[in-house]
Amino acid sequence: MLKIKNQDCGNSTSNKTYINKTDFNNTDINISYPISKPDAMDWIEEHNTYEEIIKENIEYDIMCERFSKEWLDEIVAIMVDVVCSKEQYIRINKQNVPQEAVKSRFLKINSMHIAYINFALQENTSDVRNIRAFLITTIYRSYETADNWYSAKVKHDMAHNERW
């Protein structure tokens, strides 16, 4: 039974283990598990290589003149993350798509697709809760929808001009 004790400093009431394991506590040891240098270097090298490829594909320097560099850097970073992902599947519009298929498509994205993505994002009025997932889907889908969007835009503009 627990007895009421004076509040003076003293021994605290134990949980009846009667075992003091402080002999084994060594707070001077700092155990860390760093990534081995070859793995870290490989990871960095792979990301840098794909970043260069993606920037070349989208004509990064030219696109920075048209769009915000910060926005473009976010798009490139997401693309590099997805292309270098070690996951078996990437979630695209709530469906699992094989990572290799997504990687292949992302490496085909060019400046025309980037312009389409920017326009699509500007026109979006829905409440986006997971912007990263939304951007991954938008980038992935841009490859199959950008040409049709540009064609429809040209037809619309030509029809509009003929009326005047």
Side-chain angles (χ1 to χ4, degrees):
M1 171 167 231
L2 185 63
K3 294 181 181 179
I4 297 180
K5 293 183 177 182
N6 186 344
Q7 290 187 351
D8 292 340
C9 292
N11 293 335
S12 63
T13 305
S14 70
N15 58 3
K16 297 187 180 184
T17 60
Y18 303 111
I19 300 172
N20 186 353
K21 296 181 182 179
T22 58
D23 295 341
F24 301 108
N25 291 343
N26 187 347
T27 58
D28 295 332
I29 296 175
N30 182 9
I31 298 175
S32 62
Y33 301 97
I35 299 173
S36 65
K37 289 193 187 267
D39 289 343
M41 296 305 287
D42 290 346
W43 186 90
I44 292 169
E45 186 177 316
E46 179 184 28
H47 276 69
N48 288 340
T49 299
Y50 279 113
E51 181 176 351
E52 288 177 31
I53 291 168
I54 289 168
K55 283 183 172 181
E56 184 178 320
N57 290 349
I58 66 169
E59 301 176 78
Y60 179 82
D61 293 333
I62 295 169
M63 298 308 279
C64 280
E65 294 173 10
R66 291 184 60 194
F67 305 109
S68 159
K69 182 181 181 317
E70 292 77 19
W71 175 79
L72 199 54
D73 286 344
E74 286 181 20
I75 298 298
V76 169
I78 289 171
M79 291 177 71
V80 170
D81 283 350
V82 169
V83 166
C84 294
S85 174
K86 301 301 181 208
E87 296 296 323
Q88 188 174 1
Y89 296 97
I90 304 295
R91 198 95 168 134
I92 304 288
N93 200 25
K94 300 179 183 176
Q95 294 180 342
N96 288 330
V97 178
Q99 190 273 343
E100 286 298 320
V102 178
K103 177 180 179 178
S104 173
R105 187 170 287 188
F106 272 36
L107 292 174
K108 294 175 186 171
I109 299 297
N110 62 36
S111 58
M112 178 190 72
H113 299 108
I114 296 298
Y116 168 75
I117 291 164
N118 182 269
F119 181 81
L121 292 174
Q122 288 178 358
E123 294 296 308
N124 179 52
T125 58
S126 62
D127 182 25
V128 179
R129 295 175 190 257
N130 184 342
I131 190 67
R132 181 178 168 79
F134 179 80
L135 287 171
I136 290 171
T137 297
T138 303
I139 295 165
Y140 182 81
R141 295 287 183 219
S142 73
Y143 185 77
E144 62 196 25
T145 57
D147 286 338
N148 290 318
W149 179 81
Y150 281 113
S151 295
K153 187 95 171 116
V154 168
K155 287 179 186 176
H156 175 268
D157 290 349
M158 290 179 72
H160 183 71
N161 288 336
E162 286 179 13
R163 285 188 250 162
W164 296 100

Short mmCIF file of all heavy atoms in Angstrom, two decimals, residues 25 95 105:
data_model
loop_
_atom_site.label_atom_id
_atom_site.label_comp_id
_atom_site.label_asym_id
_atom_site.label_seq_id
_atom_site.Cartn_x
_atom_site.Cartn_y
_atom_site.Cartn_z
N ASN A 25 23.41 2.35 -18.41
CA ASN A 25 23.13 3.58 -19.14
C ASN A 25 24.44 4.31 -19.40
O ASN A 25 25.13 4.70 -18.48
CB ASN A 25 22.18 4.50 -18.37
CG ASN A 25 20.79 3.93 -18.29
OD1 ASN A 25 20.46 3.03 -19.05
ND2 ASN A 25 19.99 4.44 -17.38
N GLN A 95 -4.33 6.07 -58.83
CA GLN A 95 -4.02 4.76 -59.39
C GLN A 95 -2.52 4.53 -59.29
O GLN A 95 -1.73 5.45 -59.47
CB GLN A 95 -4.46 4.67 -60.85
CG GLN A 95 -5.94 4.75 -61.06
CD GLN A 95 -6.30 4.64 -62.54
OE1 GLN A 95 -5.47 4.83 -63.42
NE2 GLN A 95 -7.55 4.33 -62.80
N ARG A 105 7.77 8.52 -69.12
CA ARG A 105 6.94 9.65 -69.55
C ARG A 105 7.53 10.97 -69.06
O ARG A 105 7.56 11.95 -69.81
CB ARG A 105 5.51 9.49 -69.06
CG ARG A 105 4.62 10.56 -69.65
CD ARG A 105 3.18 10.32 -69.40
NE ARG A 105 2.67 9.23 -70.21
CZ ARG A 105 1.40 8.91 -70.29
NH1 ARG A 105 0.50 9.60 -69.60
NH2 ARG A 105 0.99 7.91 -71.02
#
